[in-house]
PDB file of all heavy atoms in Angstrom:
ATOM      1  N   GLU A 220     -15.619 -28.440 -28.619  1.00 96.00           N
ATOM      2  CA  GLU A 220     -16.130 -27.304 -29.399  1.00 96.00           C
ATOM      3  C   GLU A 220     -17.621 -27.474 -29.671  1.00 96.00           C
ATOM      4  O   GLU A 220     -18.145 -28.586 -29.714  1.00 96.00           O
ATOM      5  CB  GLU A 220     -15.415 -27.179 -30.747  1.00 96.00           C
ATOM      6  CG  GLU A 220     -13.913 -27.034 -30.693  1.00 96.00           C
ATOM      7  CD  GLU A 220     -13.201 -28.284 -31.098  1.00 96.00           C
ATOM      8  OE1 GLU A 220     -13.761 -29.378 -30.876  1.00 96.00           O
ATOM      9  OE2 GLU A 220     -12.084 -28.200 -31.636  1.00 96.00           O
ATOM     10  N   GLY A 223     -20.698 -24.671 -34.493  1.00 95.00           N
ATOM     11  CA  GLY A 223     -20.554 -24.663 -35.947  1.00 95.00           C
ATOM     12  C   GLY A 223     -21.898 -24.799 -36.628  1.00 95.00           C
ATOM     13  O   GLY A 223     -22.921 -25.048 -35.988  1.00 95.00           O
ATOM     14  N   GLY A 224     -21.903 -24.638 -37.945  1.00 97.00           N
ATOM     15  CA  GLY A 224     -23.134 -24.784 -38.689  1.00 97.00           C
ATOM     16  C   GLY A 224     -22.998 -24.223 -40.083  1.00 97.00           C
ATOM     17  O   GLY A 224     -21.893 -23.978 -40.559  1.00 97.00           O
ATOM     18  N   SER A 225     -24.142 -24.033 -40.732  1.00 98.00           N
ATOM     19  CA  SER A 225     -24.175 -23.508 -42.089  1.00 98.00           C
ATOM     20  C   SER A 225     -24.851 -22.154 -42.107  1.00 98.00           C
ATOM     21  O   SER A 225     -25.929 -21.994 -41.524  1.00 98.00           O
ATOM     22  CB  SER A 225     -24.941 -24.476 -43.002  1.00 98.00           C
ATOM     23  OG  SER A 225     -24.297 -25.725 -43.072  1.00 98.00           O
ATOM     24  N   GLY A 230     -23.253 -13.737 -42.987  1.00 98.00           N
ATOM     25  CA  GLY A 230     -23.830 -14.126 -41.715  1.00 98.00           C
ATOM     26  C   GLY A 230     -22.815 -14.230 -40.595  1.00 98.00           C
ATOM     27  O   GLY A 230     -21.619 -13.958 -40.788  1.00 98.00           O
ATOM     28  N   SER A 231     -23.295 -14.655 -39.427  1.00 98.00           N
ATOM     29  CA  SER A 231     -22.453 -14.753 -38.236  1.00 98.00           C
ATOM     30  C   SER A 231     -22.639 -16.092 -37.543  1.00 98.00           C
ATOM     31  O   SER A 231     -23.705 -16.703 -37.620  1.00 98.00           O
ATOM     32  CB  SER A 231     -22.808 -13.635 -37.241  1.00 98.00           C
ATOM     33  OG  SER A 231     -22.580 -12.364 -37.790  1.00 98.00           O
ATOM     34  N   LEU A 232     -21.590 -16.511 -36.860  1.00 98.00           N
ATOM     35  CA  LEU A 232     -21.629 -17.690 -36.006  1.00 98.00           C
ATOM     36  C   LEU A 232     -20.730 -17.428 -34.808  1.00 98.00           C
ATOM     37  O   LEU A 232     -19.769 -16.662 -34.907  1.00 98.00           O
ATOM     38  CB  LEU A 232     -21.123 -18.936 -36.738  1.00 98.00           C
ATOM     39  CG  LEU A 232     -22.025 -19.622 -37.751  1.00 98.00           C
ATOM     40  CD1 LEU A 232     -21.258 -20.718 -38.470  1.00 98.00           C
ATOM     41  CD2 LEU A 232     -23.262 -20.203 -37.082  1.00 98.00           C
ATOM     42  N   SER A 239     -11.459 -28.703 -19.953  1.00 95.00           N
ATOM     43  CA  SER A 239     -11.548 -29.374 -18.664  1.00 95.00           C
ATOM     44  C   SER A 239     -10.338 -30.279 -18.492  1.00 95.00           C
ATOM     45  O   SER A 239      -9.606 -30.571 -19.442  1.00 95.00           O
ATOM     46  CB  SER A 239     -12.845 -30.199 -18.566  1.00 95.00           C
ATOM     47  OG  SER A 239     -12.880 -31.201 -19.556  1.00 95.00           O
ATOM     48  N   ASN A 241      -6.663 -31.220 -16.703  1.00 91.00           N
ATOM     49  CA  ASN A 241      -5.445 -30.712 -16.088  1.00 91.00           C
ATOM     50  C   ASN A 241      -5.056 -29.359 -16.702  1.00 91.00           C
ATOM     51  O   ASN A 241      -4.086 -29.251 -17.449  1.00 91.00           O
ATOM     52  CB  ASN A 241      -4.325 -31.736 -16.282  1.00 91.00           C
ATOM     53  CG  ASN A 241      -3.276 -31.638 -15.204  1.00 91.00           C
ATOM     54  OD1 ASN A 241      -3.525 -31.099 -14.135  1.00 91.00           O
ATOM     55  ND2 ASN A 241      -2.103 -32.157 -15.493  1.00 91.00           N
ATOM     56  N   TYR A 246      -1.705 -19.912 -19.977  1.00 95.00           N
ATOM     57  CA  TYR A 246      -1.973 -20.705 -21.169  1.00 95.00           C
ATOM     58  C   TYR A 246      -1.993 -19.839 -22.423  1.00 95.00           C
ATOM     59  O   TYR A 246      -2.079 -18.606 -22.362  1.00 95.00           O
ATOM     60  CB  TYR A 246      -3.336 -21.410 -21.046  1.00 95.00           C
ATOM     61  CG  TYR A 246      -4.497 -20.458 -20.863  1.00 95.00           C
ATOM     62  CD1 TYR A 246      -5.080 -19.818 -21.957  1.00 95.00           C
ATOM     63  CD2 TYR A 246      -5.001 -20.190 -19.593  1.00 95.00           C
ATOM     64  CE1 TYR A 246      -6.128 -18.936 -21.786  1.00 95.00           C
ATOM     65  CE2 TYR A 246      -6.057 -19.313 -19.415  1.00 95.00           C
ATOM     66  CZ  TYR A 246      -6.618 -18.691 -20.515  1.00 95.00           C
ATOM     67  OH  TYR A 246      -7.660 -17.812 -20.342  1.00 95.00           O
ATOM     68  N   CYS A 247      -1.930 -20.522 -23.537  1.00 97.00           N
ATOM     69  CA  CYS A 247      -2.284 -19.975 -24.834  1.00 97.00           C
ATOM     70  C   CYS A 247      -3.409 -20.839 -25.380  1.00 97.00           C
ATOM     71  O   CYS A 247      -3.337 -22.069 -25.289  1.00 97.00           O
ATOM     72  CB  CYS A 247      -1.107 -20.017 -25.805  1.00 97.00           C
ATOM     73  SG  CYS A 247       0.137 -18.747 -25.522  1.00 97.00           S
ATOM     74  N   ARG A 252      -8.183 -23.613 -38.322  1.00 98.00           N
ATOM     75  CA  ARG A 252      -9.149 -24.166 -39.270  1.00 98.00           C
ATOM     76  C   ARG A 252      -8.434 -24.920 -40.369  1.00 98.00           C
ATOM     77  O   ARG A 252      -7.283 -24.645 -40.682  1.00 98.00           O
ATOM     78  CB  ARG A 252     -10.028 -23.066 -39.855  1.00 98.00           C
ATOM     79  CG  ARG A 252      -9.305 -22.081 -40.757  1.00 98.00           C
ATOM     80  CD  ARG A 252     -10.265 -20.954 -41.153  1.00 98.00           C
ATOM     81  NE  ARG A 252      -9.619 -19.966 -42.028  1.00 98.00           N
ATOM     82  CZ  ARG A 252     -10.191 -18.830 -42.406  1.00 98.00           C
ATOM     83  NH1 ARG A 252     -11.415 -18.524 -41.990  1.00 98.00           N
ATOM     84  NH2 ARG A 252      -9.539 -18.001 -43.203  1.00 98.00           N
ATOM     85  N   GLY A 256      -8.231 -30.230 -48.498  1.00 95.00           N
ATOM     86  CA  GLY A 256      -7.048 -30.137 -49.338  1.00 95.00           C
ATOM     87  C   GLY A 256      -6.039 -29.101 -48.903  1.00 95.00           C
ATOM     88  O   GLY A 256      -5.046 -28.882 -49.595  1.00 95.00           O
ATOM     89  N   ARG A 259      -3.805 -27.123 -41.983  1.00 98.00           N
ATOM     90  CA  ARG A 259      -4.443 -26.450 -40.853  1.00 98.00           C
ATOM     91  C   ARG A 259      -3.722 -25.123 -40.594  1.00 98.00           C
ATOM     92  O   ARG A 259      -2.488 -25.071 -40.561  1.00 98.00           O
ATOM     93  CB  ARG A 259      -4.384 -27.343 -39.608  1.00 98.00           C
ATOM     94  CG  ARG A 259      -5.267 -26.899 -38.482  1.00 98.00           C
ATOM     95  CD  ARG A 259      -5.312 -27.931 -37.358  1.00 98.00           C
ATOM     96  NE  ARG A 259      -5.879 -29.205 -37.819  1.00 98.00           N
ATOM     97  CZ  ARG A 259      -6.182 -30.203 -36.997  1.00 98.00           C
ATOM     98  NH1 ARG A 259      -5.991 -30.080 -35.693  1.00 98.00           N
ATOM     99  NH2 ARG A 259      -6.666 -31.333 -37.486  1.00 98.00           N
ATOM    100  N   VAL A 262      -6.219 -19.214 -36.927  1.00 98.00           N
ATOM    101  CA  VAL A 262      -7.207 -18.154 -37.149  1.00 98.00           C
ATOM    102  C   VAL A 262      -6.989 -17.033 -36.131  1.00 98.00           C
ATOM    103  O   VAL A 262      -6.904 -15.860 -36.489  1.00 98.00           O
ATOM    104  CB  VAL A 262      -8.633 -18.707 -37.021  1.00 98.00           C
ATOM    105  CG1 VAL A 262      -9.660 -17.578 -37.111  1.00 98.00           C
ATOM    106  CG2 VAL A 262      -8.897 -19.771 -38.080  1.00 98.00           C
ATOM    107  N   SER A 267      -3.358 -16.019 -21.753  1.00 94.00           N
ATOM    108  CA  SER A 267      -4.116 -15.882 -20.516  1.00 94.00           C
ATOM    109  C   SER A 267      -4.136 -14.437 -20.002  1.00 94.00           C
ATOM    110  O   SER A 267      -5.030 -14.068 -19.235  1.00 94.00           O
ATOM    111  CB  SER A 267      -3.557 -16.816 -19.440  1.00 94.00           C
ATOM    112  OG  SER A 267      -2.152 -16.763 -19.381  1.00 94.00           O
ATOM    113  N   ASP A 275      -4.430 -12.372 -40.862  1.00 97.00           N
ATOM    114  CA  ASP A 275      -4.827 -11.200 -41.651  1.00 97.00           C
ATOM    115  C   ASP A 275      -6.183 -11.404 -42.318  1.00 97.00           C
ATOM    116  O   ASP A 275      -6.964 -10.466 -42.458  1.00 97.00           O
ATOM    117  CB  ASP A 275      -3.768 -10.924 -42.727  1.00 97.00           C
ATOM    118  CG  ASP A 275      -2.483 -10.358 -42.138  1.00 97.00           C
ATOM    119  OD1 ASP A 275      -2.512  -9.874 -40.976  1.00 97.00           O
ATOM    120  OD2 ASP A 275      -1.449 -10.405 -42.823  1.00 97.00           O
ATOM    121  N   VAL A 277      -8.846 -12.679 -41.277  1.00 98.00           N
ATOM    122  CA  VAL A 277     -10.038 -12.560 -40.425  1.00 98.00           C
ATOM    123  C   VAL A 277     -10.052 -11.283 -39.585  1.00 98.00           C
ATOM    124  O   VAL A 277     -11.032 -11.031 -38.870  1.00 98.00           O
ATOM    125  CB  VAL A 277     -10.177 -13.781 -39.490  1.00 98.00           C
ATOM    126  CG1 VAL A 277     -10.166 -15.077 -40.298  1.00 98.00           C
ATOM    127  CG2 VAL A 277      -9.113 -13.806 -38.414  1.00 98.00           C
ATOM    128  N   ARG A 280     -13.168  -9.029 -38.654  1.00 98.00           N
ATOM    129  CA  ARG A 280     -14.401  -9.816 -38.798  1.00 98.00           C
ATOM    130  C   ARG A 280     -14.591 -10.810 -37.657  1.00 98.00           C
ATOM    131  O   ARG A 280     -15.721 -11.066 -37.240  1.00 98.00           O
ATOM    132  CB  ARG A 280     -14.378 -10.589 -40.127  1.00 98.00           C
ATOM    133  CG  ARG A 280     -14.271  -9.727 -41.353  1.00 98.00           C
ATOM    134  CD  ARG A 280     -14.456 -10.537 -42.624  1.00 98.00           C
ATOM    135  NE  ARG A 280     -13.437 -11.575 -42.795  1.00 98.00           N
ATOM    136  CZ  ARG A 280     -13.714 -12.874 -42.922  1.00 98.00           C
ATOM    137  NH1 ARG A 280     -14.953 -13.306 -42.887  1.00 98.00           N
ATOM    138  NH2 ARG A 280     -12.726 -13.745 -43.106  1.00 98.00           N
ATOM    139  N   SER A 284     -12.251 -14.512 -27.676  1.00 97.00           N
ATOM    140  CA  SER A 284     -12.405 -14.066 -26.291  1.00 97.00           C
ATOM    141  C   SER A 284     -12.429 -15.279 -25.373  1.00 97.00           C
ATOM    142  O   SER A 284     -12.528 -16.415 -25.834  1.00 97.00           O
ATOM    143  CB  SER A 284     -13.677 -13.227 -26.119  1.00 97.00           C
ATOM    144  OG  SER A 284     -14.820 -14.007 -26.420  1.00 97.00           O
ATOM    145  N   GLN A 285     -12.367 -15.019 -24.080  1.00 95.00           N
ATOM    146  CA  GLN A 285     -12.315 -16.106 -23.115  1.00 95.00           C
ATOM    147  C   GLN A 285     -13.126 -15.749 -21.879  1.00 95.00           C
ATOM    148  O   GLN A 285     -13.280 -14.572 -21.552  1.00 95.00           O
ATOM    149  CB  GLN A 285     -10.860 -16.380 -22.714  1.00 95.00           C
ATOM    150  CG  GLN A 285     -10.154 -15.167 -22.112  1.00 95.00           C
ATOM    151  CD  GLN A 285      -8.649 -15.312 -22.056  1.00 95.00           C
ATOM    152  OE1 GLN A 285      -8.091 -16.361 -22.347  1.00 95.00           O
ATOM    153  NE2 GLN A 285      -7.965 -14.238 -21.673  1.00 95.00           N
ATOM    154  N   LYS A 289     -15.544 -19.825 -16.660  1.00 87.00           N
ATOM    155  CA  LYS A 289     -16.213 -20.973 -17.274  1.00 87.00           C
ATOM    156  C   LYS A 289     -15.250 -21.860 -18.048  1.00 87.00           C
ATOM    157  O   LYS A 289     -15.678 -22.835 -18.672  1.00 87.00           O
ATOM    158  CB  LYS A 289     -17.312 -20.492 -18.221  1.00 87.00           C
ATOM    159  CG  LYS A 289     -18.428 -19.722 -17.535  1.00 87.00           C
ATOM    160  CD  LYS A 289     -19.481 -19.279 -18.549  1.00 87.00           C
ATOM    161  CE  LYS A 289     -20.609 -18.518 -17.878  1.00 87.00           C
ATOM    162  NZ  LYS A 289     -21.633 -18.057 -18.867  1.00 87.00           N
ATOM    163  N   THR A 291     -13.893 -21.323 -20.795  1.00 96.00           N
ATOM    164  CA  THR A 291     -14.473 -21.373 -22.139  1.00 96.00           C
ATOM    165  C   THR A 291     -13.813 -20.340 -23.048  1.00 96.00           C
ATOM    166  O   THR A 291     -13.590 -19.206 -22.645  1.00 96.00           O
ATOM    167  CB  THR A 291     -15.985 -21.133 -22.091  1.00 96.00           C
ATOM    168  OG1 THR A 291     -16.584 -22.132 -21.252  1.00 96.00           O
ATOM    169  CG2 THR A 291     -16.595 -21.227 -23.480  1.00 96.00           C
ATOM    170  N   PHE A 320       7.138 -19.249 -19.870  1.00 93.00           N
ATOM    171  CA  PHE A 320       5.891 -18.793 -20.467  1.00 93.00           C
ATOM    172  C   PHE A 320       6.244 -17.805 -21.575  1.00 93.00           C
ATOM    173  O   PHE A 320       6.737 -16.720 -21.297  1.00 93.00           O
ATOM    174  CB  PHE A 320       5.005 -18.133 -19.413  1.00 93.00           C
ATOM    175  CG  PHE A 320       3.590 -17.903 -19.832  1.00 93.00           C
ATOM    176  CD1 PHE A 320       2.958 -18.697 -20.775  1.00 93.00           C
ATOM    177  CD2 PHE A 320       2.840 -16.883 -19.241  1.00 93.00           C
ATOM    178  CE1 PHE A 320       1.647 -18.488 -21.143  1.00 93.00           C
ATOM    179  CE2 PHE A 320       1.516 -16.663 -19.599  1.00 93.00           C
ATOM    180  CZ  PHE A 320       0.923 -17.460 -20.540  1.00 93.00           C
ATOM    181  N   ALA A 325       2.198 -18.983 -29.839  1.00 90.00           N
ATOM    182  CA  ALA A 325       2.555 -19.500 -31.151  1.00 90.00           C
ATOM    183  C   ALA A 325       1.354 -19.411 -32.082  1.00 90.00           C
ATOM    184  O   ALA A 325       0.200 -19.371 -31.625  1.00 90.00           O
ATOM    185  CB  ALA A 325       3.011 -20.948 -31.032  1.00 90.00           C
ATOM    186  N   GLN A 339     -17.647 -28.146 -37.841  1.00 98.00           N
ATOM    187  CA  GLN A 339     -17.729 -27.720 -39.241  1.00 98.00           C
ATOM    188  C   GLN A 339     -18.428 -26.368 -39.364  1.00 98.00           C
ATOM    189  O   GLN A 339     -19.493 -26.149 -38.777  1.00 98.00           O
ATOM    190  CB  GLN A 339     -18.503 -28.759 -40.064  1.00 98.00           C
ATOM    191  CG  GLN A 339     -18.707 -28.380 -41.514  1.00 98.00           C
ATOM    192  CD  GLN A 339     -17.430 -28.441 -42.327  1.00 98.00           C
ATOM    193  OE1 GLN A 339     -16.672 -29.404 -42.235  1.00 98.00           O
ATOM    194  NE2 GLN A 339     -17.179 -27.406 -43.131  1.00 98.00           N
TER     195      GLN A 339
END
Side-chain angles (χ1 to χ4, degrees):
E220 303 106 330
S225 298
S231 298
L232 284 173
S239 61
N241 206 20
Y246 59 82
C247 283
R252 67 186 180 187
R259 193 172 298 189
V262 174
S267 45
D275 288 343
V277 305
R280 300 188 298 122
S284 62
Q285 58 195 353
K289 297 180 180 179
T291 301
F320 193 28
Q339 177 71 46

